[in-house]
Amino acid sequence: MTQPLVEVSDLTVTFQGTPPVHAVNGVSFTLAQGEVLGILGESGSGKSVTLKTLLRLLPERRTRIGGKVAVEGRDVLALEGRALADHRGGVVSMIFQDPGLALDPVYTIGRQIAETVIRHEGVSRSTAMARALEMLELVRIPSAKRRLSNYPHEMSGGMRQRAMIALALACKPKLLLADEPTTALDATVQIQILLLLRELQREMGMGVIFVTHDIGVAVEVSDKLAVMYAGSFVETGSVAEIIRDARHPYSQGLLAANLVGAEPGALLKAIPGAPPALHAPPVGCAFAPRCELAGPRCGADPLPLWQARGDRWARCVAAAEAAVPSHAEP
Amino acid sequence: MAVAQTDIETLATADKPRGYWSGVGRRFLKDKVAVAAGCVAGGLILMAIFAPWVAPQDPFDGTMIRRLSPIGTEGYPLGADELGRDMLSRLIYGARLSLFMGVTPVLIAFVIGSAIGIAAGYAGGWVNSITMRVLDVFYAFPSVLLAIAISGALGAGILNGLLSLTVVFIPPIARVAESVTTAVRKLEYIEAARASGASAFTIVRAHVLGNVLGPIFVYATSLISVSMILAAGLSFLGLGVSPPNPEWGLMLNTLRNAIYVQPWLAALPGVMIFLTSISFNMLSDGLRSAMDIKQ
């Protein structure tokens, strides 16, 4: 049997404090080798927190993590010391939103990549530098050799993000986490970076989890999508399924709030209201206060699920009810 | 192909990759005031090192005949002090002890204070709170008073003077180190380093230290002038250097009685202290702006 690359079940993350914040509430998904999952959601929906859990990057003392997180069958939440250091950067690595902030300003690009390679593979500095050069060429940084001795502030945003990707891929990770890697870039550079990521992903056969709030970006790179709201996945499915046939009102709202096909001069269709504060774990549907279809039955716990396949489902009362007759037909 | 396209701007700068420090040097050299201050400070240091060759007379050799000769006396261009010793030579030799008392405590405090501050800042939480509250106790005293109190308790002497000044400078340096480290610790590249599997030690050594030492160093250079003035103050009170050693603060003290007879002569050690402290201050200001990448 083929083991999934990533297996997350019933993940909950709570930040302790006054008041506490229930950032992630029961997220489950699996990701196969070489697959790209896009997690789509607005700010504060728990996307980044979910990603950081996979690397155990959240502050240990103030965070309570429940559920199970496994990468290649290994329990990430139980990793300690050396094993954790090998996991970070070796098996799983991450590219960050703003490469201007995520690269250390006092070291050259080459040195930063080489450091990581030395740390994980114990090779000599010259071998590591050769690898760094190879990586910069792989991400198509022009005149890569000279770029090795550049400092981050001497590069443009797009080049920096390429360098960041080179750094993340330097140790040939099995899983790449991308936390809104194109948000800080302008539109033309954005598409270049996305194409590059997609290509490298295919070439290296990596699994990628791509977090974004931009539905266009998510569609560009992903195989399957998960729509996240208030710390839970509300709908998952393949890209095509979600784009053509979104079942959850929130996913439909996200799709409607798009510039494509908008009438000039007409107001964009926005979802009214703001996400909940999550000081307590949500009961029933967290989206109900902003939902047009909300009714008293949306407070049910657990919520009924509309499910077509293992990973094609939406957690919504209305979707479940609407689907009953069509499913009863055949 | 779109992905392989290069932007011309980045190619142009790629031709000559410049290091961070060469950039700092370039910006520093553009700052005329800082360069001038650096020359003065460098000159003073050279003067102190080569004092035996530079000084025209023996700084300890005095006669009653020449007591308080005015500035411009034949063979004694800056006159002679209350014991008839050559003022110029004493000022030149005085630079040795004065600079030593200015630089050494700051240097030691820089090492200890940075270590404390960076450790506290990186650890965060209650470790940070306890360390910083303890340092705050030292902060409650004015620095002059604290230096005098410690020196007074330990007794006169150069070593005790050094010790008291070091203790005075550890808290402010640790405080700056702590605040810079706390700011750096929250930055994304620290998290990125953790995400790539770096150990806590590696992160502190490479990523925290590299980004934090510059600002702390610049702050420490601004303390050199304060240290010199404090050291002069201690000597003035008889707590630091003891006679007949030439030291500017001490000379200011012993010449104090002559202020009605030879006011210009009595002011000379003060002029040296002023000159040195202002040149170190401007030098540190220049360094600060040269090291600021964001401008």
Side-chain angles (χ1 to χ4, degrees):
Chain A
M1 124 198 180
T2 50
Q3 186 186 40
L5 178 63
V6 186
E7 205 171 359
V8 174
S9 58
D10 204 24
L11 175 70
T12 58
V13 179
T14 312
F15 294 117
Q16 285 163 321
T18 42
V21 176
H22 296 261
V24 176
N25 304 298
V27 163
S28 307
F29 65 91
T30 58
L31 184 74
Q33 187 76 45
E35 209 175 20
V36 182
L37 169 69
I39 301 181
L40 194 62
E42 61 196 293
S43 312
S45 59
K47 305 168 302 210
S48 298
V49 175
T50 309
L51 271 201
K52 286 176 181 173
T53 315
L54 284 163
L55 273 172
R56 285 264 300 280
L57 276 182
L58 299 168
E60 304 264 325
R61 260 171 282 168
R62 294 189 295 110
T63 322
R64 218 177 22 228
I65 303 176
K68 193 171 150 262
V69 179
V71 175
E72 288 193 304
R74 247 170 318 177
D75 183 3
V76 174
L77 300 179
L79 289 177
E80 285 302 332
R82 193 65 236 170
L84 181 59
D86 288 340
H87 173 75
R88 290 173 176 167
V91 182
V92 183
S93 71
M94 184 157 178
I95 33 183
F96 289 81
Q97 182 170 351
D98 190 343
L101 299 173
L103 292 166
D104 191 329
V106 301
Y107 294 107
T108 60
I109 298 297
R111 174 116 185 248
Q112 292 189 47
I113 299 176
E115 286 293 334
T116 310
V117 176
I118 292 171
R119 191 180 305 137
H120 284 288
E121 301 181 8
V123 295
S124 71
R125 181 160 289 272
S126 56
T127 319
M129 271 311 214
R131 169 76 69 79
L133 179 62
E134 196 184 298
M135 291 315 296
L136 289 193
E137 278 163 357
L138 186 69
V139 296
R140 304 217 187 76
I141 289 184
S143 46
K145 197 147 198 167
R146 273 183 305 211
R147 285 296 182 188
L148 276 180
S149 51
N150 266 181
Y151 287 84
H153 70 271
E154 296 172 314
M155 303 173 100
S156 66
M159 285 300 136
R160 256 182 263 169
Q161 191 57 286
R162 280 166 197 258
M164 185 81 225
I165 294 171
L167 177 63
L169 299 185
C171 294
K172 309 248 177 319
K174 299 271 171 48
L175 174 65
L176 180 68
L177 308 176
D179 189 0
E180 309 211 13
T182 57
T183 309
L185 307 173
D186 61 52
T188 46
V189 182
Q190 202 168 18
I191 192 72
Q192 293 177 10
I193 295 287
L194 289 178
L195 290 175
L196 175 70
L197 263 180
R198 189 67 165 148
E199 199 177 310
L200 291 174
Q201 179 267 329
R202 289 212 180 103
E203 227 168 87
M204 301 173 74
M206 283 180 301
V208 176
I209 302 179
F210 196 103
V211 154
T212 181
H213 61 250
D214 185 335
I215 204 159
V217 167
V219 168
E220 198 66 53
V221 293
S222 313
D223 298 317
K224 48 183 199 176
L225 281 180
V227 180
M228 196 161 185
Y229 186 79
S232 314
F233 284 1
V234 293
E235 179 164 6
T236 67
S238 72
V239 172
E241 283 165 339
I242 298 227
I243 294 296
R244 289 200 204 104
D245 184 27
R247 296 298 175 112
H248 197 283
Y250 180 62
S251 321
Q252 292 166 351
L254 279 185
L255 286 164
N258 203 322
L259 281 172
V260 179
E263 299 277 323
L267 280 177
L268 284 176
K269 216 176 154 199
I271 306 172
L278 292 177
H279 293 318
V283 175
C285 180
F287 185 64
R290 300 170 73 183
C291 183
E292 288 172 351
L293 308 172
R297 60 213 194 288
C298 292
D301 199 27
L303 275 173
L305 186 71
W306 169 82
Q307 187 161 27
R309 264 199 341 270
D311 57 356
R312 172 71 189 124
W313 52 263
R315 195 173 293 282
C316 175
V317 179
E321 282 172 357
V324 171
S326 68
H327 269 259
E329 262 172 45
Chain B
M1 161 179 192
V3 184
Q5 256 176 23
T6 65
D7 33 340
I8 292 147
E9 176 256 331
T10 49
L11 250 184
T13 54
D15 282 337
K16 32 182 174 355
R18 290 198 206 93
Y20 171 69
W21 291 107
S22 71
V24 170
R26 204 160 28 86
R27 282 192 294 274
F28 183 78
L29 288 178
K30 272 192 204 148
D31 186 348
K32 296 280 177 296
V33 179
V35 172
C39 290
V40 173
L44 284 166
I45 292 168
L46 287 179
M47 184 179 92
I49 295 170
F50 296 107
W53 290 275
V54 180
Q57 309 271 349
D58 182 346
F60 298 102
D61 184 24
T63 42
M64 284 303 148
I65 307 163
R66 285 196 303 269
R67 278 191 69 195
L68 295 175
S69 312
I71 296 172
T73 307
E74 179 80 39
Y76 297 86
L78 291 182
D81 70 357
E82 78 288 355
L83 294 175
R85 295 170 293 197
D86 178 33
M87 215 35 207
L88 177 61
S89 305
R90 281 186 73 74
L91 286 176
I92 291 172
Y93 270 92
R96 292 188 147 185
L97 269 177
S98 292
L99 283 177
F100 177 72
M101 293 292 279
V103 174
T104 321
V106 174
L107 217 61
I108 303 174
F110 173 66
V111 174
I112 302 176
S114 308
I116 296 176
I118 292 172
Y122 189 72
W126 60 268
V127 178
N128 187 350
S129 302
I130 290 177
T131 319
M132 294 327 281
R133 291 303 83 75
V134 169
L135 289 176
D136 280 351
V137 174
F138 287 90
Y139 243 102
F141 303 97
S143 52
V144 188
L145 220 61
L146 187 61
I148 293 172
I150 300 171
S151 261
L154 295 171
I158 295 180
L159 262 181
N160 290 342
L162 279 186
L163 191 68
S164 68
L165 289 178
T166 308
V167 172
V168 167
F169 290 127
I170 288 175
I173 291 181
R175 170 137 290 223
V176 171
E178 187 262 350
S179 73
V180 186
T181 309
T182 310
V184 165
R185 186 172 68 112
K186 290 185 190 123
L187 292 182
E188 221 169 38
Y189 59 82
I190 298 294
E191 193 168 47
R194 286 215 295 145
S196 72
S199 64
F201 178 73
T202 315
I203 292 176
V204 171
R205 181 183 56 78
H207 301 288
V208 175
L209 224 52
N211 284 288
V212 142
L213 279 186
I216 306 175
F217 182 76
V218 169
Y219 175 69
T221 51
S222 76
L223 287 178
I224 289 178
S225 62
V226 181
S227 175
M228 276 194 45
I229 292 169
L230 283 183
L234 286 181
S235 302
F236 182 87
L237 293 170
L239 286 170
V241 180
S242 49
N245 289 317
E247 200 266 351
W248 295 337
L250 187 64
M251 288 162 74
L252 207 56
N253 182 18
T254 52
L255 279 169
R256 160 175 65 117
N257 297 321
I259 198 148
Y260 296 112
V261 192
Q262 289 289 356
W264 294 113
L265 192 69
L268 279 176
V271 171
M272 293 304 287
I273 294 174
F274 169 75
L275 203 65
T276 318
S277 71
I278 203 161
S279 64
F280 273 104
N281 261 344
M282 292 177 130
L283 182 66
S284 102
D285 277 355
L287 274 179
R288 192 201 315 268
S289 46
M291 283 167 82
D292 192 3
I293 296 182
K294 281 162 222 97
Q295 55 177 212

